[in-house]
Amino acid sequence: MMDALDSPSHPDEQSESGEAVAHRLLEGISSHAIFMLDADGNIISWPAPAVALYGHDAEAVIDRTVRLLFADDEDGSEPNPLPEEFFEEPKTDVVEFEHWHRRADESVFWGTLTLSPLWNETFHGYAAVSQDTTTTKEYERMLERQNDRLKEFTDILAHDLRNPLNIIEGNMTLYEDTGDEKHLKTINETIKRMGRLVEDLLRVARQGNVITDPEPTDIGDVIETAWQSLNADAGVTLRYETIPSVSSEPDRLCELFENLFQNAVDHGGGDVTVRVGPLDTGFFIEDDGPGISDEHKGDVFNHGFTTSDDGHGYGLSVVRTIVNAHGWDIIATDARSGGARFEVTGIDFLG
C-alpha cells in the first residue's frame, strides 16, 4: 500500500524540469543578480534581480559586453577591470572583480562581479554573479581612516608630550641645584598644560570610533542645539537652509557643528554671519570672516594645527574625525564672501 505522503495529489502532476527550476531560482534571488555570459563575455540572460540592481531592461543589455556594467571614471579607478584579453581563451577557474558599477540612472555602486566558467565536456560561457557591496566598501574605508587617525594620534601624542616632559625634567634639575621655587611653578603650569593636552587628545580618540548604529537625524534640530550652546554675541548671525535628514550619531553630529560654529566666531569675530545649507550629497558651513589662507587649507584638520596663540588646534581635528567616523568626507575651501567654507559630502540623505 502506498503511503499518502508518497502519492501525488493529482494523477497528472509532474516534476518541474531542471531548466524551469533553475529559471525560478534565478528570478527568486533578490540579494544577487545572477545572469549568463557567452564565451565572448556578452550578456545572454538578464533576470529580474539584474533589472532591479542595474535598472537596465533586458533589451538594453542582451548581446552586449558585460563591460558596459562598469563605471570606468569613478574614484580614479582604472578602466576596464576585465582585461581585454580575458575572453580570448576559456577559463577553468572562478574569477572575481571588484569595481564601480553604473546603473541606468547614472548612479554608481561598488560591486563584486564573480564569473564562473560553465563546462560540460565543452565550454558554454560563464555564470555571472553581481552583488552591491557598497556598504562593505564604505566600512572598509572608515576603518582605513580610523587607522590613519590612530597612527596620527599616536605620533602627535609622542611628539606633544615629549616637550613638556623635557621642561619638567629640566626645571626639576634646576630646582634641585638652586632651590628656587620658581622652577616648581613652571613645573606645575606645565603639568596643567599636559592635562589639557591629554583631555584634547582623548576627546579626538573617543569621537573617532566608527559609527555602527546610526539613527535617523533631523539636521535642523541638531543645528539649533549646537547654535544655542555657542552663547555667541548678539551680532553673530546664523542663516540656515533646510537640509534633508541623515543617518548619524546625533551627539557627535552636534559636536561637529559646535566646533565649526566656534571656529567661525573665533576667527570671524562678534559680527560674523554663518550660513549652513545643502549640497547634492551633503552640506556646507561657511562664514564671512577672513577665511583660510591657501597655504593652510591642507593643514586645518591636522591634530594640533592652529594659527591662534591660545588655541590647541583640536577643534577642526575633531570635526574631521567625526566626519570620517560617519563614512563621509570634508574639505576646507573659500566662501563667496571670502570667508571659510567647509563642505561635508558622501552622505546618503534619508527620504
Side-chain angles (χ1 to χ4, degrees), residues 245-260:
S245 296
V246 301
S247 184
S248 79
E249 204 288 297
D251 289 340
R252 281 198 250 184
L253 187 60
C254 186
E255 182 163 1
L256 179 152
F257 282 106
E258 286 175 352
N259 286 8
L260 289 174

PDB file of all heavy atoms in Angstrom, residues 245-260:
ATOM      1  N   SER A 245      17.105  64.966   6.231  1.00  0.00           N
ATOM      2  CA  SER A 245      17.563  64.146   7.356  1.00  0.00           C
ATOM      3  C   SER A 245      18.655  63.176   6.905  1.00  0.00           C
ATOM      4  O   SER A 245      18.731  62.798   5.734  1.00  0.00           O
ATOM      5  CB  SER A 245      16.389  63.358   7.944  1.00  0.00           C
ATOM      6  OG  SER A 245      15.425  64.228   8.494  1.00  0.00           O
ATOM      7  N   VAL A 246      19.480  62.787   7.854  1.00  0.00           N
ATOM      8  CA  VAL A 246      20.577  61.869   7.577  1.00  0.00           C
ATOM      9  C   VAL A 246      20.567  60.745   8.602  1.00  0.00           C
ATOM     10  O   VAL A 246      19.890  60.825   9.628  1.00  0.00           O
ATOM     11  CB  VAL A 246      21.948  62.581   7.609  1.00  0.00           C
ATOM     12  CG1 VAL A 246      22.009  63.697   6.596  1.00  0.00           C
ATOM     13  CG2 VAL A 246      22.247  63.109   9.015  1.00  0.00           C
ATOM     14  N   SER A 247      21.346  59.723   8.325  1.00  0.00           N
ATOM     15  CA  SER A 247      21.566  58.650   9.294  1.00  0.00           C
ATOM     16  C   SER A 247      22.883  58.953  10.000  1.00  0.00           C
ATOM     17  O   SER A 247      23.944  58.995   9.358  1.00  0.00           O
ATOM     18  CB  SER A 247      21.629  57.306   8.570  1.00  0.00           C
ATOM     19  OG  SER A 247      21.758  56.250   9.485  1.00  0.00           O
ATOM     20  N   SER A 248      22.822  59.190  11.311  1.00  0.00           N
ATOM     21  CA  SER A 248      24.031  59.638  12.017  1.00  0.00           C
ATOM     22  C   SER A 248      23.956  59.277  13.497  1.00  0.00           C
ATOM     23  O   SER A 248      22.975  58.719  13.984  1.00  0.00           O
ATOM     24  CB  SER A 248      24.185  61.153  11.883  1.00  0.00           C
ATOM     25  OG  SER A 248      23.316  61.828  12.794  1.00  0.00           O
ATOM     26  N   GLU A 249      25.040  59.626  14.197  1.00  0.00           N
ATOM     27  CA  GLU A 249      25.049  59.588  15.652  1.00  0.00           C
ATOM     28  C   GLU A 249      24.841  61.042  16.097  1.00  0.00           C
ATOM     29  O   GLU A 249      25.753  61.868  15.964  1.00  0.00           O
ATOM     30  CB  GLU A 249      26.388  59.030  16.140  1.00  0.00           C
ATOM     31  CG  GLU A 249      26.346  58.404  17.528  1.00  0.00           C
ATOM     32  CD  GLU A 249      26.206  59.440  18.626  1.00  0.00           C
ATOM     33  OE1 GLU A 249      27.125  60.271  18.777  1.00  0.00           O
ATOM     34  OE2 GLU A 249      25.170  59.445  19.317  1.00  0.00           O
ATOM     35  N   PRO A 250      23.644  61.414  16.586  1.00  0.00           N
ATOM     36  CA  PRO A 250      23.285  62.829  16.783  1.00  0.00           C
ATOM     37  C   PRO A 250      24.224  63.610  17.691  1.00  0.00           C
ATOM     38  O   PRO A 250      24.522  64.774  17.413  1.00  0.00           O
ATOM     39  CB  PRO A 250      21.869  62.748  17.380  1.00  0.00           C
ATOM     40  CG  PRO A 250      21.344  61.425  16.944  1.00  0.00           C
ATOM     41  CD  PRO A 250      22.525  60.507  16.902  1.00  0.00           C
ATOM     42  N   ASP A 251      24.689  62.998  18.771  1.00  0.00           N
ATOM     43  CA  ASP A 251      25.549  63.732  19.696  1.00  0.00           C
ATOM     44  C   ASP A 251      26.865  64.126  19.028  1.00  0.00           C
ATOM     45  O   ASP A 251      27.365  65.242  19.206  1.00  0.00           O
ATOM     46  CB  ASP A 251      25.830  62.886  20.945  1.00  0.00           C
ATOM     47  CG  ASP A 251      24.599  62.740  21.826  1.00  0.00           C
ATOM     48  OD1 ASP A 251      23.678  63.575  21.687  1.00  0.00           O
ATOM     49  OD2 ASP A 251      24.544  61.793  22.631  1.00  0.00           O
ATOM     50  N   ARG A 252      27.438  63.196  18.279  1.00  0.00           N
ATOM     51  CA  ARG A 252      28.692  63.525  17.593  1.00  0.00           C
ATOM     52  C   ARG A 252      28.450  64.547  16.486  1.00  0.00           C
ATOM     53  O   ARG A 252      29.276  65.432  16.257  1.00  0.00           O
ATOM     54  CB  ARG A 252      29.328  62.257  17.017  1.00  0.00           C
ATOM     55  CG  ARG A 252      30.057  61.449  18.077  1.00  0.00           C
ATOM     56  CD  ARG A 252      31.015  60.463  17.440  1.00  0.00           C
ATOM     57  NE  ARG A 252      30.534  59.104  17.610  1.00  0.00           N
ATOM     58  CZ  ARG A 252      31.223  58.035  17.216  1.00  0.00           C
ATOM     59  NH1 ARG A 252      32.393  58.168  16.629  1.00  0.00           N
ATOM     60  NH2 ARG A 252      30.738  56.815  17.389  1.00  0.00           N
ATOM     61  N   LEU A 253      27.315  64.431  15.790  1.00  0.00           N
ATOM     62  CA  LEU A 253      26.998  65.411  14.749  1.00  0.00           C
ATOM     63  C   LEU A 253      26.827  66.792  15.359  1.00  0.00           C
ATOM     64  O   LEU A 253      27.250  67.798  14.778  1.00  0.00           O
ATOM     65  CB  LEU A 253      25.729  64.993  14.007  1.00  0.00           C
ATOM     66  CG  LEU A 253      25.359  65.815  12.780  1.00  0.00           C
ATOM     67  CD1 LEU A 253      26.469  65.768  11.732  1.00  0.00           C
ATOM     68  CD2 LEU A 253      24.044  65.323  12.170  1.00  0.00           C
ATOM     69  N   CYS A 254      26.227  66.855  16.538  1.00  0.00           N
ATOM     70  CA  CYS A 254      26.064  68.139  17.225  1.00  0.00           C
ATOM     71  C   CYS A 254      27.427  68.743  17.558  1.00  0.00           C
ATOM     72  O   CYS A 254      27.644  69.947  17.376  1.00  0.00           O
ATOM     73  CB  CYS A 254      25.244  67.931  18.498  1.00  0.00           C
ATOM     74  SG  CYS A 254      24.826  69.468  19.355  1.00  0.00           S
ATOM     75  N   GLU A 255      28.367  67.918  18.005  1.00  0.00           N
ATOM     76  CA  GLU A 255      29.702  68.437  18.312  1.00  0.00           C
ATOM     77  C   GLU A 255      30.410  68.920  17.052  1.00  0.00           C
ATOM     78  O   GLU A 255      31.164  69.898  17.091  1.00  0.00           O
ATOM     79  CB  GLU A 255      30.555  67.383  19.021  1.00  0.00           C
ATOM     80  CG  GLU A 255      31.933  67.915  19.403  1.00  0.00           C
ATOM     81  CD  GLU A 255      32.642  67.070  20.431  1.00  0.00           C
ATOM     82  OE1 GLU A 255      32.095  66.046  20.862  1.00  0.00           O
ATOM     83  OE2 GLU A 255      33.776  67.436  20.800  1.00  0.00           O
ATOM     84  N   LEU A 256      30.162  68.257  15.949  1.00  0.00           N
ATOM     85  CA  LEU A 256      30.722  68.713  14.671  1.00  0.00           C
ATOM     86  C   LEU A 256      30.302  70.161  14.399  1.00  0.00           C
ATOM     87  O   LEU A 256      31.141  71.024  14.093  1.00  0.00           O
ATOM     88  CB  LEU A 256      30.267  67.784  13.554  1.00  0.00           C
ATOM     89  CG  LEU A 256      30.719  68.079  12.117  1.00  0.00           C
ATOM     90  CD1 LEU A 256      30.786  66.769  11.336  1.00  0.00           C
ATOM     91  CD2 LEU A 256      29.768  69.027  11.394  1.00  0.00           C
ATOM     92  N   PHE A 257      28.990  70.438  14.509  1.00  0.00           N
ATOM     93  CA  PHE A 257      28.504  71.792  14.252  1.00  0.00           C
ATOM     94  C   PHE A 257      28.984  72.769  15.321  1.00  0.00           C
ATOM     95  O   PHE A 257      29.323  73.924  15.007  1.00  0.00           O
ATOM     96  CB  PHE A 257      26.977  71.797  14.178  1.00  0.00           C
ATOM     97  CG  PHE A 257      26.434  71.299  12.867  1.00  0.00           C
ATOM     98  CD1 PHE A 257      25.846  70.050  12.769  1.00  0.00           C
ATOM     99  CD2 PHE A 257      26.533  72.071  11.716  1.00  0.00           C
ATOM    100  CE1 PHE A 257      25.354  69.570  11.557  1.00  0.00           C
ATOM    101  CE2 PHE A 257      26.047  71.613  10.496  1.00  0.00           C
ATOM    102  CZ  PHE A 257      25.456  70.362  10.425  1.00  0.00           C
ATOM    103  N   GLU A 258      29.029  72.343  16.569  1.00  0.00           N
ATOM    104  CA  GLU A 258      29.517  73.222  17.631  1.00  0.00           C
ATOM    105  C   GLU A 258      30.937  73.695  17.333  1.00  0.00           C
ATOM    106  O   GLU A 258      31.260  74.884  17.474  1.00  0.00           O
ATOM    107  CB  GLU A 258      29.493  72.484  18.965  1.00  0.00           C
ATOM    108  CG  GLU A 258      28.097  72.290  19.555  1.00  0.00           C
ATOM    109  CD  GLU A 258      28.116  71.454  20.814  1.00  0.00           C
ATOM    110  OE1 GLU A 258      29.193  70.899  21.158  1.00  0.00           O
ATOM    111  OE2 GLU A 258      27.068  71.340  21.448  1.00  0.00           O
ATOM    112  N   ASN A 259      31.792  72.762  16.922  1.00  0.00           N
ATOM    113  CA  ASN A 259      33.185  73.126  16.643  1.00  0.00           C
ATOM    114  C   ASN A 259      33.305  74.050  15.439  1.00  0.00           C
ATOM    115  O   ASN A 259      34.114  74.978  15.433  1.00  0.00           O
ATOM    116  CB  ASN A 259      34.019  71.863  16.432  1.00  0.00           C
ATOM    117  CG  ASN A 259      34.303  71.135  17.729  1.00  0.00           C
ATOM    118  OD1 ASN A 259      33.772  71.478  18.786  1.00  0.00           O
ATOM    119  ND2 ASN A 259      35.132  70.114  17.675  1.00  0.00           N
ATOM    120  N   LEU A 260      32.512  73.784  14.392  1.00  0.00           N
ATOM    121  CA  LEU A 260      32.576  74.646  13.213  1.00  0.00           C
ATOM    122  C   LEU A 260      32.006  76.029  13.503  1.00  0.00           C
ATOM    123  O   LEU A 260      32.527  77.043  13.018  1.00  0.00           O
ATOM    124  CB  LEU A 260      31.839  73.988  12.046  1.00  0.00           C
ATOM    125  CG  LEU A 260      32.532  72.764  11.437  1.00  0.00           C
ATOM    126  CD1 LEU A 260      31.643  72.108  10.393  1.00  0.00           C
ATOM    127  CD2 LEU A 260      33.876  73.154  10.805  1.00  0.00           C
TER     128      LEU A 260
END
